[in-house]
Amino acid sequence: MTAKPKHRPTLNDVAKKVGVTKMTVSRYLRDPNSVAEATREKIAVVVDELGYVASRAPDILSNRNSKAIGILLPSLSNQVFASLLQGIESVTKAEGYQTLITHYGYSAEEEEEKIASLLSYHVDGLILTESIHSERSHKMINAASIPVVETIDLPENPIDMAVGLDHKQAAFDLVSKMIEYGRRHIVYFAARLDRRTQLRSEGYLLAMEANGLTPQIVSTQEHSSFTQGRELMHQALKQFPELDGVFCTNDDLAIGAMMHCQEHNIDIPNRVAIAGYNALDIGKAISPTLASVNTPREEIGAAAATLLLKKLSGKKVTKPIQDIGYSLYLGESLGKPV
């Protein structure tokens, strides 16, 4: 005989067991201090005993604040976005906001669908991780009239607010440092070919051209991984045997490139200098340590959430575009100045 499904506890169930009205329980759920201490303690015990979870549907349907922020991430496995999320939630949690997180796999079409889904839940605001969006995404966001923060990049014309860093300049600075250290045949490893990869490519090209050097790029449409870094290094050494430096669009590719070199007894940094981007912990734990761009992802997340909640509270946002900056991590894989 099939077991009868358990009844989901209701507000009425809690009220009956405590011996108070539903209004009293509802008032307690909105503000525990609004009911007498003895009643408050009884309600808390019963709520815990029954496993009661308050429904927020009435508030959402009556157009009150949902106390929820929608967050769109291109990848759930990338440590960069995990750090960004930690920064966001360090602010939203303290202010009593929930985060609804969705993943769109670097696809503008998928981002569009996920934006529509989040807006259907009446989120109070959105935090995005792209600066280029579909026309429909723009229309939906404009129609929703909610605060939006674009992160990681610094778009020229943000939808509303933006917090990020100048990836083009950061790449230019690191490649310039490689050239200063005596590298003349630096190859750029690109993956995904998303906006941030394109910006770093532009910085690489500027640095090479400013020093009269020939830029060379090896790329893949696949997502970044250690395996892809190894394959790109194998390809680059065949295509450009004179290469003496590699600048990678992120640390995953750079670590993979280092693995290939170590497996084939290619000395780092004497034969080949390797640099990555984002300064992940693994790059500081390996030997030689990986030169990279230190991107403050948690700070970006916290700043984005702070901007969003400030606007939601009705306060004036005096600095809607914030450049958080970056620093260079000059690891041992870069070598020494000549």
Side-chain angles (χ1 to χ4, degrees), residues 89-146:
E89 293 194 331
S90 70
V91 174
T92 55
K93 184 178 180 181
E95 296 298 325
Y97 277 83
Q98 300 296 320
T99 52
L100 300 183
I101 303 159
T102 189
H103 162 252
Y104 60 92
Y106 294 91
S107 164
E109 293 76 16
E110 188 71 14
E111 183 197 46
E112 180 182 295
E113 293 304 315
K114 295 301 174 66
I115 287 174
S117 177
L118 287 170
L119 292 178
S120 75
Y121 286 98
H122 294 256
V123 292
D124 294 338
L126 290 173
I127 294 179
L128 310 178
T129 46
E130 292 292 341
S131 57
I132 299 176
H133 316 280
S134 72
E135 183 179 351
R136 180 171 175 248
S137 291
H138 277 285
K139 287 180 178 178
M140 289 188 293
I141 291 170
N142 289 336
S145 297
I146 58 174

Side-chain angles (χ1 to χ4, degrees), residues 81-92:
F81 301 108
S83 299
L84 178 79
L85 183 58
Q86 287 174 350
I88 292 170
E89 293 194 331
S90 70
V91 174
T92 55

Side-chain angles (χ1 to χ4, degrees), residues 280-291:
L280 302 183
D281 184 64
I282 187 173
K284 298 175 182 179
I286 62 172
S287 180
T289 54
L290 177 64

Side-chain angles (χ1 to χ4, degrees), residues 268-328:
I268 304 170
N270 293 324
R271 167 64 178 86
V272 179
I274 297 178
Y277 201 102
N278 286 317
L280 302 183
D281 184 64
I282 187 173
K284 298 175 182 179
I286 62 172
S287 180
T289 54
L290 177 64
S292 193
V293 174
N294 187 23
T295 55
R297 287 94 58 188
E298 284 195 41
E299 291 89 335
I300 290 173
T306 300
L307 269 184
L308 196 70
L309 298 191
K310 186 174 183 180
K311 196 160 189 177
L312 283 171
S313 69
K315 296 177 182 178
K316 185 178 180 181
V317 175
T318 57
K319 196 176 179 183
I321 302 176
Q322 296 184 13
D323 185 344
I324 301 300
Y326 58 87
S327 61
L328 300 185

Side-chain angles (χ1 to χ4, degrees), residues 18-329:
V18 177
V20 296
T21 65
K22 288 196 297 181
M23 184 67 73
T24 300
V25 177
S26 180
R27 195 166 65 249
Y28 162 83
L29 293 171
R30 288 196 300 271
D31 179 10
N33 293 320
S34 66
V35 301
E37 184 178 355
T39 304
R40 184 165 69 235
E41 291 175 354
K42 290 179 183 178
I43 294 175
V45 169
V46 172
V47 165
D48 181 63
E49 182 183 313
L50 295 180
Y52 173 75
V53 177
S55 172
R56 300 174 68 184
D59 285 346
I60 293 174
L61 292 174
S62 63
N63 291 320
R64 296 175 189 170
N65 290 346
S66 66
K67 296 290 283 187
I69 303 298
I71 303 171
L72 289 98
L73 303 177
S75 169
L76 295 178
S77 61
N78 192 321
Q79 187 181 329
V80 169
F81 301 108
S83 299
L84 178 79
L85 183 58
Q86 287 174 350
I88 292 170
E89 293 194 331
S90 70
V91 174
T92 55
K93 184 178 180 181
E95 296 298 325
Y97 277 83
Q98 300 296 320
T99 52
L100 300 183
I101 303 159
T102 189
H103 162 252
Y104 60 92
Y106 294 91
S107 164
E109 293 76 16
E110 188 71 14
E111 183 197 46
E112 180 182 295
E113 293 304 315
K114 295 301 174 66
I115 287 174
S117 177
L118 287 170
L119 292 178
S120 75
Y121 286 98
H122 294 256
V123 292
D124 294 338
L126 290 173
I127 294 179
L128 310 178
T129 46
E130 292 292 341
S131 57
I132 299 176
H133 316 280
S134 72
E135 183 179 351
R136 180 171 175 248
S137 291
H138 277 285
K139 287 180 178 178
M140 289 188 293
I141 291 170
N142 289 336
S145 297
I146 58 174
V148 176
V149 184
E150 292 164 286
T151 61
I152 306 294
D153 301 345
L154 289 172
E156 292 181 8
N157 299 299
I159 293 172
D160 185 11
M161 299 174 285
V163 180
L165 61 99
D166 189 337
H167 295 277
K168 183 176 177 179
Q169 185 64 49
F172 176 87
D173 288 348
L174 184 51
V175 176
S176 295
K177 185 63 67 174
M178 296 180 77
I179 295 169
E180 179 186 324
Y181 278 31
R183 308 298 163 166
R184 293 294 178 269
H185 303 284
I186 304 170
V187 179
Y188 177 54
F189 287 6
R192 283 267 185 209
L193 309 185
D194 62 354
R195 179 58 179 160
R196 284 177 284 280
T197 293
Q198 292 169 6
L199 289 170
R200 293 164 196 168
S201 174
E202 291 173 12
Y204 160 79
L205 292 172
L206 281 175
M208 294 293 282
E209 290 167 0
N211 287 275
L213 303 176
T214 302
Q216 306 286 358
I217 298 176
V218 177
S219 65
T220 176
Q221 290 281 1
E222 300 297 320
H223 70 274
S224 298
S225 65
F226 300 155
T227 301
Q228 283 298 321
R230 290 167 69 172
E231 291 180 1
L232 291 178
M233 191 71 202
H234 175 72
Q235 180 182 338
L237 286 167
K238 278 190 170 182
Q239 192 171 348
F240 310 109
E242 74 281 8
L243 75 82
D244 58 9
V246 172
F247 170 54
C248 302
T249 196
N250 56 42
D251 285 357
D252 286 352
L253 293 184
I255 294 294
M258 291 180 71
M259 288 177 174
H260 179 86
C261 288
Q262 290 169 344
E263 289 166 4
H264 293 82
N265 297 315
I266 299 172
D267 189 276
I268 304 170
N270 293 324
R271 167 64 178 86
V272 179
I274 297 178
Y277 201 102
N278 286 317
L280 302 183
D281 184 64
I282 187 173
K284 298 175 182 179
I286 62 172
S287 180
T289 54
L290 177 64
S292 193
V293 174
N294 187 23
T295 55
R297 287 94 58 188
E298 284 195 41
E299 291 89 335
I300 290 173
T306 300
L307 269 184
L308 196 70
L309 298 191
K310 186 174 183 180
K311 196 160 189 177
L312 283 171
S313 69
K315 296 177 182 178
K316 185 178 180 181
V317 175
T318 57
K319 196 176 179 183
I321 302 176
Q322 296 184 13
D323 185 344
I324 301 300
Y326 58 87
S327 61
L328 300 185
Y329 178 71

